Amino acid sequence: MNIKPVKWLTGRGASSTDRMVAYTNDGERVRFPLVPIRRETAYYHGIKFAAPYISALGEVEFVYPETIQYADGI
């Protein structure tokens, strides 16, 4: 279990209380999609081709919603 503070959950619970979120980090139940922002200039390395992209981490996608739990007022 990892416990990490997140400043975005302060005051986000019911009646402006602090919120806690608990979820599993299993790849079959939670996805962290990468959203491509733009493609950089492609270049060659001999016979290999490289096309780098700049991406951003999208929002967390829960495949099974019952694997997440919110707790307010902590």
Side-chain angles (χ1 to χ4, degrees):
M1 174 185 292
N2 292 325
I3 299 173
K4 299 186 181 186
V6 179
K7 66 180 180 180
W8 297 281
L9 295 178
T10 303
R12 299 293 179 165
S15 301
S16 297
T17 58
D18 294 341
R19 174 172 282 181
M20 177 185 77
V21 179
Y23 64 92
T24 180
N25 205 13
D26 184 11
E28 295 180 4
R29 292 176 170 77
V30 179
R31 295 186 194 132
F32 299 97
L34 284 176
V35 180
I37 296 175
R38 72 173 193 244
R39 181 177 169 194
E40 293 292 313
T41 306
Y43 54 91
Y44 295 92
H45 289 285
I47 61 171
K48 293 186 216 175
F49 175 77
Y53 283 83
I54 296 177
S55 299
L57 189 62
E59 66 182 57
V60 178
E61 178 183 344
F62 296 100
V63 180
Y64 302 102
E66 58 271 4
T67 60
I68 185 171
Q69 179 67 41
Y70 293 97
D72 293 342
I74 59 167

